[in-house]
């Protein structure tokens, strides 16, 4: 749930490399003071509706193009694909208005506001995900080439720039990105640079017909590039670098470095072409909000205006940009406090909203939102849906949503492109009346967070938890010393209180759901429990005790704590080192074994530890799939004996390279890593992200069966003898578990405690 830097990928400009000098500090101080006293809200900036019409007057504005100028029927389509060939999308079933055969896709997205809004739905599996990405990012290579002398509309690519150079780039031109995404080979940086120089020019009117008038317009301000007009905001799980290094995801809890203090407001202003505050300082530009010194010094110098008039002009532009930011931010539930918070400090959900805001502020005309609801709390999911529906209906901008198959489809979606596990298009066209696909989930009571994800229907998870609590199921053993104890613990950043007087005990055997809206303090609380938060060192033992000791006790040193706590979170998933096995990366078995001591590298392990890794893996190996979606164990079983898995099968899975696995399988392996050392506390923060329904169900069943007073016989016990198995069962029942999930439907059925946070306070306690 930690924040990631705001979406530079969505078009925010990268600042110049930081060059801190004494001068910068002086100017920065001045600009911050000036800005602190600056209250641009009183300024009568254009209303959002005026904003579009006044866009041509304003040099920074990139707002939508005259929204209602054309009738729906005559509007050029937003997307028109003819005979596009997609490698991963191997089959398609035509319907009346859209068709595809084999890998060749015909698909039109018309600009019909309320009547047509598309979602692309694909499974989270590696193969399904690849097909999904290909549909969003059709590459020029996939479109048929122009036939010489042909007049047919199948002429698919028209390059305004040097096509040959462009052709070599792995450029994506269709729905999502309109600029080179990555350079695939050595020397790619050069290619990328060349492509970036020309990226505005190549475009294909048949693919994005709605851009035609912009491109042919003679007035300078009409000549918008696809890059300006189409934004791709991706929240899909990003797997970290392949260099094998571990990324320190807990850095945000500590003192934020000066250069990382850039606020959301400063990022957004920069996006509108108005660097202010720290961004201005980093770019070594004068700050338009800085008070004029009125001295001759204004005429010269790196951080000075050339004249008083230049300063005034810049100030006026800055005020206009400020008005735009402040009008749009509340739509995304971003208030003044959040606007002025360092981007790095935003919570996961806040970061996602900020990235959507950046695409809106930039004036994009078509925004492709990938997995916009994951990591977002139920209430906000509902509000976001209402916002998207309203904006799409008004074409400010138009949206295309990319969803996983387990996501709910919001009501305003009228058309679907649905891909199945194998990459086949199972539906392309209007949403069928019976194709509700959990759409009603968004209209559920927000507090219940009930948003089913293709999981079997069952009793209301919240009611189930209350019943468990009443029957003492999922409740820890309070006769034993608590594992974690917090008394009146508060955490504040400056004046912002993030946790407020928290009192909490976690007992052996507890099964706790930690709930709360985005920004309510869950990650911060977990960071204290995990001992990752620097503040955890400052509390005396009677305020914060981890395993009966203060955090700074030698017995709570990081490696020792790592042996007692198993942990999985989206941040750990993203940060885990990934290097291919050929380059010395970890195998599946080595990743699981790295859970002993919670390290992120290969170590040597005892024979007993290896045996446990294999024994644990044997229970879950059937869930481990390679990146092409094939179950490794099944392959082995089918090819060899067709029988139950034996040690050879398990070893085959264990020796596979971790990076060879699908996303969901990597998450399963990291779950086993968290378990392997028989931790006394298991912290599972959104553990199911990226897993398919079968993987989620199996892990949930494992958690349920590991709860004391389980009704099911323990089929997960590990050991040779009955005594060993009993000891293993006992250890799992004694393990306390804290789970965070924004989806109630993912809660295991035998949890018996709930802590719900709101604004840093405990709002509900079961
Ligand atoms: N270094 C910081 N400076 C200022 N505010 C911070 C800092 N770090 C976190 N915050 C704020 O603390 C609040 C709690 O953040 P936290 O990440 O704990 O929320 P969360 O409940 O985990 O949210 P989410 O569900 O979105 O992940 C947020 O409002 C966040 O902006």
């Amino acid at each position: 749930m930690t924040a990631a830097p705001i979406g530079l990928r969505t078009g925010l400009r990268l600042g110049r490399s930081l060059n801190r000098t004494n001068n910068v500090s002086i100017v920065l101080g001045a600009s911050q003071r000036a800005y602190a006293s600056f209250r641009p809200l009183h300024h009568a900036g254009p209303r959002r509706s005026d904003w579009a019409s006044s866009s041509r007057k304003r040099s920074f504005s990139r707002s939508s193009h005259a929204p209602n100028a054309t009738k729906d029927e005559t509007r050029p389509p937003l997307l028109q694909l003819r005979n596009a060939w997609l490698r991963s999308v191997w089959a398609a079933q035509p319907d009346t208005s859209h068709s595809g055969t084999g890998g060749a896709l015909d698909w039109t997205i018309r600009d019909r506001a309320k009547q047509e809004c598309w979602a692309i739905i694909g499974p989270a599996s590696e193969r399904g995900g690849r097909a999904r990405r290909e549909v969003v990012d059709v590459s020029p290579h996939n479109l048929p080439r122009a036939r010489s002398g042909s007049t047919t509309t199948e002429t698919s690519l028209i390059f305004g720039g040097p096509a040959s150079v462009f052709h070599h780039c792995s450029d994506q031109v269709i729905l999502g990105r309109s600029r080179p995404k990555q350079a695939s080979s050595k020397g790619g940086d050069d290619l990328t640079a060349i492509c970036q120089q020309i990226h505005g020019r190549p475009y294909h009117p048949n693919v994005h017909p709605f851009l035609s008038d912009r491109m042919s317009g003679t007035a300078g301000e009409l000549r918008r590039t696809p890059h300006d007009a189409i934004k791709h905001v991706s929240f899909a799980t990003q797997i970290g670098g392949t260099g094998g290094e571990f990324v320190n995801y807990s850095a945000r809890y500590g003192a934020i470095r000066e250069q990382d203090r850039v606020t959301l407001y400063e990022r957004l202003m920069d996006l509108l072409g108005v660097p202010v505050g720290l961004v201005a300082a980093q770019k070594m530009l004068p700050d338009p909000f800085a008070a004029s010194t009125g001295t001759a010094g204004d005429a010269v110098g790196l951080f000075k205006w050339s004249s008083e008039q230049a300063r005034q002009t810049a100030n006026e532009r800055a005020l206009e940009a400020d008005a735009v930011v402040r009008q749009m931010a509340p739509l995304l539930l971003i208030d003044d406090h959040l606007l002025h918070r360092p981007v790095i400090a935003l919570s996961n959900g806040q970061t996602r909203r900020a990235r959507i805001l950046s695409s809106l502020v930039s004036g994009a005309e078509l925004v492709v939102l990938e997995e916009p609801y994951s990591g977002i709390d139920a209430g906000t999911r509902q509000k976001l849906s209402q916002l998207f529906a309203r904006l799409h209906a008004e074409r400010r901008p138009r949206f295309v949503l990319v969803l996983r198959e387990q996501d709910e489809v919001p009501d305003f979606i009228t058309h679907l492109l649905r891909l199945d596990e194998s990459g086949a298009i199972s539906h392309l066209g209007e949403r069928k009346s019976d194709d509700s696909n959990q759409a009603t989930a968004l209209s559920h009571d927000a507090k219940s967070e009930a948003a089913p994800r293709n999981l079997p229907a069952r009793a209301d998870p919240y009611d189930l938890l209350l019943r468990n609590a009443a029957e003492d199921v999922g409740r820890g053993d309070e006769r034993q010393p608590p594992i974690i104890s917090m008394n009146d613990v508060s955490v504040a950043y400056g004046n912002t209180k993030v946790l407020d007087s928290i009192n909490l005990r976690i007992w052996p055997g507890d099964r706790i759901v930690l709930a709360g809206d985005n920004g309510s303090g869950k990650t911060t609380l977990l960071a204290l429990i995990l001992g990752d938060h620097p503040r955890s060192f400052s509390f005396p033992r009677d305020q914060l005790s981890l395993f009966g000791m203060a955090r700074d006790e030698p017995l709570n040193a990081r490696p020792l704590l790592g042996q007692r706590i198993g942990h999985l979170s989206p941040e750990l998933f993203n940060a885990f080192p990934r290097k291919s096995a050929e380059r010395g990366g970890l195998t599946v078995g080595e990743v699981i074994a790295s859970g002993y001591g919670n390290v992120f590298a290969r170590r040597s392990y005892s024979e007993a530890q290896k045996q446990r890794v294999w024994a644990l893996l044997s229970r879950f190996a059937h869930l481990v799939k390679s990146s092409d979606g094939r179950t490794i164990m099944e392959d082995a079983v089918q090819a060899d004996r067709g029988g139950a898995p034996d040690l050879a099968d398990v070893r085959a899975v264990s020796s596979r390279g971790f990076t060879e696995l699908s996303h969901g399988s990597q998450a399963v392996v990291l779950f086993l890593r968290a378990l392997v050392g028989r931790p006394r506390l298991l912290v599972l923060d959104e553990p199911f992200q990226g897993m398919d329904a079968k993987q989620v169900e199996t892990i949930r069943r494992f958690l349920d069966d590991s709860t004391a007073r389980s009704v099911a016989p323990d089929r997960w016990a590990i050991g040779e003898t009955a005594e060993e198995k009993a000891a293993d069962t006992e250890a799992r029942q004694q393990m306390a578990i804290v789970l965070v999930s924004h989806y109630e439907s993912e809660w295991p059925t035998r949890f018996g405690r709930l802590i719900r946070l709101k604004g840093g306070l405990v709002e509900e306690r079961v």
Side-chain angles (χ1 to χ4, degrees), residues 581 586-590 614 617 648-658 660:
L586 302 186
T587 63
V588 168
E590 286 166 343
W614 288 328
L617 188 56
D649 292 325
V650 176
R651 282 189 181 187
V653 178
S654 174
S655 61
R656 281 293 182 103
F658 180 59
E660 287 176 44

Side-chain angles (χ1 to χ4, degrees), residues 125-188:
S125 72
E126 193 68 11
R127 184 161 175 183
R130 249 204 324 267
R132 204 176 68 169
R133 271 194 303 280
E134 248 201 283
V135 170
V136 173
D137 289 343
V138 178
S139 128
H141 308 279
N142 298 341
L143 298 170
R145 297 250 126 213
R147 281 184 230 138
S148 143
S150 165
T151 54
T152 114
T153 52
E154 284 187 8
T155 305
S156 286
L157 283 178
I158 297 174
F159 289 113
S164 57
V165 175
F166 187 70
H167 186 75
H168 288 298
C169 302
S170 52
D171 189 37
Q172 318 286 320
V173 290
I174 306 302
L175 260 180
R177 305 168 182 90
S178 52
R179 58 184 170 160
K181 193 168 68 163
Q182 60 182 13
S184 49
S185 58
K186 208 162 171 271

Side-chain angles (χ1 to χ4, degrees), residues 413-434:
I413 295 296
T414 58
H415 289 67
L416 299 176
L417 189 162
R418 192 187 283 277
L419 293 152
D420 71 14
E421 184 78 28
S422 65
I425 295 179
S426 57
H427 180 80
L428 181 70
E430 248 178 276
R431 185 177 178 175
K432 295 176 190 150
S433 52
D434 60 343

Side-chain angles (χ1 to χ4, degrees), residues 511-533:
R511 299 289 186 265
I512 305 175
V513 170
L514 177 60
D517 290 350
N518 296 131
S520 57
K522 301 181 297 300
T523 306
T524 313
L525 183 65
L526 290 183
L528 288 175
I529 291 173
L530 292 164
D532 282 343
H533 202 294

Side-chain angles (χ1 to χ4, degrees), residues 1 252 341 345 347 349-350 498 518-524 742:
M1 288 186 295
R252 91 181 248 242
R341 198 159 286 175
S347 79
Q350 290 166 345
V498 173
N518 296 131
S520 57
K522 301 181 297 300
T523 306
T524 313
H742 284 297

